[in-house]
Amino acid sequence: WQASIEAKADTKAYLVGAGMDVMTNVNLDVKYVNAEVGSSTTVTETLYGATYKMSNNFGVHARYSVMTKTGSTDTNKGRLELKYTF
């Protein structure tokens, strides 16, 4: 979500993620990415997500991310999304 390695030459990265339905209408997931850009910069990000479907046409999705980059401060980012379709 935050970690972007677009147009970066000599990048090695991996992503690991898992998600599971806790109940029929609740899903939790977590993702972890680690990227090495060149030989001097390392970027890691952990992304947590939760989705709750209240009905067929209304749901809530929340995300929270923590990103760490070599030589800079940690970046935390959150998002809450309400979705109604008709």
Side-chain angles (χ1 to χ4, degrees):
W1 191 29
Q2 295 186 69
S4 175
I5 54 172
E6 264 182 58
K8 305 284 186 190
D10 194 28
T11 299
K12 296 177 185 176
Y14 65 89
L15 169 74
V16 178
M20 100 182 222
D21 290 332
V22 180
M23 296 178 355
T24 57
N25 58 346
V26 177
N27 179 281
L28 300 176
D29 64 85
V30 63
K31 294 178 180 117
Y32 176 80
V33 65
N34 183 309
E36 293 179 12
V37 182
S39 60
S40 60
T41 304
T42 301
V43 177
T44 60
E45 179 183 8
T46 306
L47 174 65
Y48 306 95
T51 304
Y52 175 56
K53 282 191 83 171
M54 294 181 192
S55 64
N56 287 338
N57 60 345
F58 186 63
V60 178
H61 180 73
R63 275 187 204 179
Y64 184 74
S65 170
V66 178
M67 186 179 78
T68 304
K69 186 175 181 180
T70 306
S72 65
T73 59
D74 291 358
T75 305
N76 299 331
K77 196 176 197 181
R79 177 180 179 164
L80 179 63
E81 178 181 296
L82 302 172
K83 185 175 182 180
Y84 179 79
T85 57
F86 53 96

